[in-house]
């Protein structure tokens, strides 16, 4: 009766002598897991090979297949992707999330991480630009100071020459007085 009502299973997961039962694990891949495993698979792809993969994924994007969209997102997150490719992938990710609200919180979390990564890149570029601007300012100031130093050294040599001339004049006057 238990077997017929579904409360017990026949044959497969028998309780062993120790009283334990082997658990059954069911894994259902999500869109996010597809993107992350793709990212892991393509981490060692070479430059030209990456460009071929990205261009092919971009062309297949028009077909509207979800796997092609996810593959483009994966490629956009690759370290070889330039900023334009990265932004294209993030647009596709945003659109994918809108089109697939059932995709769950995992893609939302991935998008949050990617947005944070994008902001960190922008902040790094801004900081780098500020550093380069400051470096230019310091180089200009350094050139100005070098110019002032050269002028001061010329002035010092002139003053040293005048001191020597005055010493010579003083020596001449002392010699005449004797």
């Amino acid at each position: 009766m238990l077997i017929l009502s579904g409360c017990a299973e026949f044959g497969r997961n028998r309780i062993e002598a120790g009283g334990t039962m082997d658990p059954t694990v069911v894994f259902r891949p999500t869109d996010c897991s597809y993107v992350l495993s793709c990212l892991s698979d393509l981490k060692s792809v070479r430059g030209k090979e990456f460009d071929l993969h990205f261009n092919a994924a971009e062309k297949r994007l028009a077909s509207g297949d979800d796997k092609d969209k996810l593959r483009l997102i994966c490629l956009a997150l690759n370290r070889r992707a330039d900023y334009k490719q990265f932004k294209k992938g993030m647009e596709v990710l945003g659109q994918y999330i809108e089109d697939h609200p059932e995709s769950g919180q995992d893609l939302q979390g991935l998008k949050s991480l990617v947005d944070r990564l994008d902001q960190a890149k922008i902040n790094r570029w801004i900081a780098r630009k500020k550093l380069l601007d400051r470096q230019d300012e310091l180089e200009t100031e350094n050139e100005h100071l070098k110019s002032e130093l050269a002028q001061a050294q010329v002035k010092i040599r002139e003053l040293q020459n005048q001191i020597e001339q005055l010493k010579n004049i003083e020596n001449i006057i002392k010699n005449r007085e004797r």
Side-chain angles (χ1 to χ4, degrees), residues 83-131:
Y83 193 68
K84 184 178 174 184
Q85 292 168 329
F86 177 78
K87 282 307 235 185
K88 175 71 175 174
M90 296 315 94
E91 289 172 12
V92 171
L93 177 60
Q95 188 63 45
Y96 189 89
I97 291 172
E98 283 181 25
D99 294 344
H100 299 83
E102 77 283 353
S103 63
Q105 295 298 318
D106 52 354
L107 274 183
Q108 289 288 349
L110 178 64
K111 181 156 180 19
S112 295
L113 285 173
V114 169
D115 289 343
R116 177 66 182 106
L117 174 67
D118 188 33
Q119 188 59 47
K121 279 184 173 183
I122 290 170
N123 290 344
R124 191 180 95 215
W125 289 335
I126 290 170
R128 180 167 168 74
K129 178 153 179 28
K130 285 180 182 178
L131 284 174

Side-chain angles (χ1 to χ4, degrees), residues 43-58:
K43 70 181 173 186
S44 62
V45 71
R46 304 269 181 216
K48 291 187 182 202
E49 186 181 356
F50 170 79
D51 289 336
L52 291 173
H53 283 292
F54 193 88
N55 291 336
E58 202 168 25

Side-chain angles (χ1 to χ4, degrees), residues 26-38:
V26 178
F27 175 73
R28 292 186 189 116
T30 63
D31 295 337
C32 189
S33 65
Y34 175 83
V35 171
L36 294 175
S37 65
C38 170

